Amino acid sequence: MTDPNQYLRLQLGDTSFLLPSSSGFTIEQRENLITNKSPEGNVAAWRVVQATRLPAYCLDAALRVTRQHLWHRAVFLDTLPQAVGLTVDEVQLLPRAETVISPFMPLGLPPTRLGHLFSGAWVTGHRALLVFEPKALAAYLQSLGEE
């Protein structure tokens, strides 16, 4: 069981983001997923649960859909109407004592109907890791559809 104040570090290429563990998620190995072998569409892979295909999208560091094939896992957010996933190169559950999150409000209009994608940042040394707002991230991923 995860501590609600812990964070999962998600690595997309050379960039890392944080996801609050309180958001509810499932981590799947690539081998347990059905990968999209077609060069078309936004979905990188599907997780099959009780005959339902849950999509996972591959995003670059700018959160644009990409079709790179080096990812090893997918993190599925427990959300309604169905879970939706994000492929990642690496995941790591960070110890609670290591992360001190500073909340902030991004400028401009929110990109999803549920708000901005980020709600805070963890500044460590000379780098800052943005913290995803789980509901907004799920809404963003769901908006990508299976085109």
Side-chain angles (χ1 to χ4, degrees), residues 91-125:
V91 293
Q92 175 189 16
L93 190 59
L94 298 176
R96 179 179 179 189
E98 279 189 23
T99 53
V100 177
I101 305 301
S102 300
F104 74 92
M105 176 62 78
L107 299 174
L109 296 173
T112 74
R113 60 182 170 70
L114 295 177
H116 287 283
L117 291 175
F118 305 107
S119 60
W122 175 41
V123 179
T124 176

Side-chain angles (χ1 to χ4, degrees), residues 24-120:
F25 54 80
T26 302
I27 302 170
E28 284 289 345
Q29 296 279 7
R30 182 180 184 139
E31 300 80 40
N32 297 334
L33 303 172
I34 300 168
T35 57
N36 184 1
K37 294 183 181 12
S38 168
E40 298 178 16
N42 289 340
V43 176
W46 293 273
R47 176 178 175 222
V48 178
V49 178
Q50 299 175 354
T52 301
R53 290 186 343 159
L54 306 175
Y57 299 94
C58 185
L59 304 179
D60 64 14
L63 304 180
R64 295 177 301 235
V65 174
T66 184
R67 291 300 293 271
Q68 67 95 359
H69 301 283
L70 301 176
W71 57 274
H72 301 286
R73 293 178 178 78
V75 176
F76 288 85
L77 301 169
D78 298 335
T79 184
L80 296 174
Q82 73 177 18
V84 64
L86 174 66
T87 65
V88 295
D89 299 324
E90 183 181 323
V91 293
Q92 175 189 16
L93 190 59
L94 298 176
R96 179 179 179 189
E98 279 189 23
T99 53
V100 177
I101 305 301
S102 300
F104 74 92
M105 176 62 78
L107 299 174
L109 296 173
T112 74
R113 60 182 170 70
L114 295 177
H116 287 283
L117 291 175
F118 305 107
S119 60

